[in-house]
């Protein structure tokens, strides 16, 4: 696990930006960027959102991935490449891009998702055991809790 200071420094240098250039892009001072990179401070929530959008990474990644994110619809582990997007293009760290796209849910009925996942698990013909397992696991996720 990397520290926030290391993540920001790595992303900034990988993108060929000076501290001054990064500061301009996220509306802070060069000194603020320097303090982030020395670990003296971390960006505030609004700045983390700007950095997330600028570097196309999740806020979780910017913070050094302190927690394992999982899709709250299907339970799949989330990486920056699989995180969904809201309608405004910002990352939504609650869902994968296959369950939630452009601010809209793909699955509104648990049985639809259960059938799809069970077919994937069993190579085409979903078993009753797979379906029951999925119903149990999916019902623990926030999306399905809110729907019940």
């Amino acid at each position: 696990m990397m520290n926030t200071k290391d993540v920001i420094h790595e992303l900034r240098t990988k993108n060929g930006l000076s501290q001054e250039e990064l500061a301009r892009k996220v509306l802070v001072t060069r000194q603020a960027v320097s303090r982030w990179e020395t670990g003296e401070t971390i960006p505030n929530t609004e700045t983390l959102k700007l950095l997330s959008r600028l570097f196309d990474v999740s806020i979780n990644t910017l913070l050094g991935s302190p927690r394992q994110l999982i899709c709250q619809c299907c339970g799949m582990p989330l990486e920056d490449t699989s995180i969904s997007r809201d309608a405004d293009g910002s990352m939504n760290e609650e869902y994968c891009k296959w369950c939630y796209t452009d601010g809209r849910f793909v699955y509104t009925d648990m049985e639809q998702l259960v059938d799809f996942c069970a077919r994937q698990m069993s190579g085409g013909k979903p078993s009753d055991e797979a379906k029951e397992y999925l119903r149990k696991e999916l019902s623990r996720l926030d999306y399905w809790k809110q729907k019940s």
Side-chain angles (χ1 to χ4, degrees):
M1 182 170 96
M2 293 178 72
N3 292 318
T4 301
K5 66 181 187 167
D6 301 320
V7 173
I8 292 173
H9 180 264
E10 182 179 300
L11 289 168
R12 178 180 63 77
T13 56
K14 185 171 111 179
N15 285 274
L17 297 172
S18 67
Q19 287 185 344
E20 184 72 39
E21 291 167 324
L22 176 58
R24 257 194 316 263
K25 289 182 181 289
V26 295
L27 312 172
V28 298
T29 64
R30 185 206 54 77
Q31 291 82 359
V33 174
S34 176
R35 286 193 299 273
W36 301 337
E37 291 184 358
T38 61
E40 188 179 326
T41 63
I42 62 169
N44 66 33
T45 303
E46 289 308 310
T47 305
L48 284 168
K49 289 178 184 177
L50 291 172
L51 289 165
S52 171
R53 189 171 279 156
L54 174 67
F55 293 129
D56 199 30
V57 298
S58 67
I59 291 172
N60 192 56
T61 293
L62 289 169
L63 295 175
S65 301
R67 61 190 174 108
Q68 173 62 52
L69 300 174
I70 64 165
C71 176
Q72 291 301 306
C73 181
C74 71
M76 182 177 92
L78 295 174
E79 304 292 331
D80 285 344
T81 57
S82 63
I83 290 177
S84 66
R85 303 265 179 183
D86 284 320
D88 66 1
S90 61
M91 288 187 163
N92 182 318
E93 298 183 20
E94 296 296 315
Y95 304 102
C96 72
K97 65 184 179 183
W98 297 283
C99 290
Y100 183 80
T101 304
D102 297 325
R104 300 177 75 188
F105 287 99
V106 174
Y107 300 100
T108 55
D109 179 290
M110 186 189 292
E111 283 308 305
Q112 181 186 19
L113 179 58
V114 165
D115 286 340
F116 174 78
C117 291
R119 279 193 311 275
Q120 301 304 311
M121 289 170 67
S122 62
K125 186 174 186 237
S127 71
D128 290 338
E129 288 175 21
K131 286 183 174 187
E132 189 55 38
Y133 170 79
L134 287 163
R135 283 185 199 103
K136 180 181 169 197
E137 294 303 312
L138 293 175
S139 67
R140 296 178 184 177
L141 300 172
D142 290 346
Y143 178 69
W144 300 110
K145 282 181 187 176
Q146 294 169 9
K147 294 189 85 56
S148 57

